[in-house]
C-alpha cells in the first residue's frame, strides 16, 4: 500500500508539472485564453479517459496528454494500460506521451506524439484472471 500511494503521489506530481509546463508554453505563445482552459482530465473524468491532461496546440486544436513520471532516467520502462493504448491508437493525431524523468532531483521531460503501438516496443506483462 505504501508503494502504491508513493507511485500515485509521484504520478500526480508529474501531472501537475506538465500542467504548469503547458500553461507556461501557451502563455509564451500568446494563448492565455487556452492556458486557462487546460483540463486535468484524470481528475475531472477519472482514469477511464485514457489520458491525463486535455491541452491545446498553438492553433487551438485539442491535444490529449498522457503523463508517465519516474524518479529515474529517461529510458526507464513504464506501464501503459489497455485503455491508454486504445485511446492512443484511436486519437493518434492528437495524442502525446509526456515522459517526465529524474523528477525528484532535476525534472525534465520529452514528448512523443502518436500511438504507443507505433512509437514503442510493447511487452504484455499482466493478465486479468477470473475463476472459470
Amino acid at each position: 500500500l505504501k508503494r502504491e500511494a508513493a507511485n500515485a503521489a509521484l504520478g500526480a506530481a508529474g501531472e501537475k508539472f506538465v500542467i504548469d509546463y503547458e500553461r507556461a508554453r501557451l502563455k509564451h505563445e500568446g494563448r492565455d485564453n487556452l492556458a486557462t482552459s487546460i483540463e486535468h482530465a484524470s481528475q475531472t473524468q477519472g482514469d477511464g479517459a485514457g489520458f491525463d491532461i486535455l491541452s491545446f496546440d498553438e492553433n487551438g486544436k485539442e491535444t490529449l496528454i498522457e503523463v508517465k513520471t519516474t524518479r529515474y532516467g529517461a529510458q526507464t520502462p513504464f506501464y501503459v494500460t489497455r485503455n491508454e493504448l486504445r485511446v492512443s491508437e484511436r486519437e493518434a493525431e492528437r495524442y502525446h506521451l509526456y515522459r517526465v524523468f529524474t523528477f525528484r532531483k532535476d525534472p525534465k521531460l520529452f514528448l512523443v506524439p502518436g500511438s504507443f503501438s507505433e512509437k514503442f516496443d510493447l511487452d504484455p506483462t499482466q493478465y486479468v484472471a477470473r475463476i472459470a
Side-chain angles (χ1 to χ4, degrees):
L1 290 175
K2 283 183 181 180
R3 183 184 304 169
E4 189 172 320
N7 287 342
L10 180 65
E15 290 173 13
K16 182 179 180 334
F17 179 80
V18 170
I19 289 170
D20 291 344
Y21 170 83
E22 281 292 294
R23 285 188 177 135
R25 180 186 63 79
L26 288 167
K27 286 179 181 179
H28 179 75
E29 293 172 357
R31 299 306 305 256
D32 292 26
N33 60 323
L34 296 176
T36 59
S37 298
I38 292 172
E39 178 185 349
H40 195 168
S42 63
Q43 298 294 314
T44 60
Q45 300 180 34
D47 289 333
F51 61 96
D52 298 314
I53 299 164
L54 174 66
S55 188
F56 305 90
D57 68 13
E58 63 280 353
N59 298 315
K61 181 180 170 191
E62 289 184 348
T63 59
L64 311 178
I65 299 171
E66 176 60 31
V67 180
K68 297 295 182 182
T69 306
T70 183
R71 288 181 276 264
Y72 306 108
Q75 299 300 318
T76 305
F78 56 91
Y79 292 98
V80 176
T81 68
R82 182 188 317 191
N83 190 42
E84 291 165 352
L85 178 60
R86 283 182 187 154
V87 174
S88 78
E89 290 172 342
R90 186 179 67 234
E91 302 288 348
E93 281 191 29
R94 60 186 189 136
Y95 199 93
H96 295 80
L97 166 76
Y98 276 50
R99 181 60 163 154
V100 181
F101 60 98
T102 61
F103 187 73
R104 298 289 184 212
K105 294 177 186 174
D106 182 24
K108 294 179 177 62
L109 66 83
F110 64 87
L111 67 96
V112 180
S115 74
F116 285 118
S117 59
E118 291 179 7
K119 303 291 179 147
F120 297 94
D121 291 328
L122 299 176
D123 183 20
T125 60
Q126 291 184 332
Y127 296 89
V128 174
R130 294 181 182 84
I131 302 295

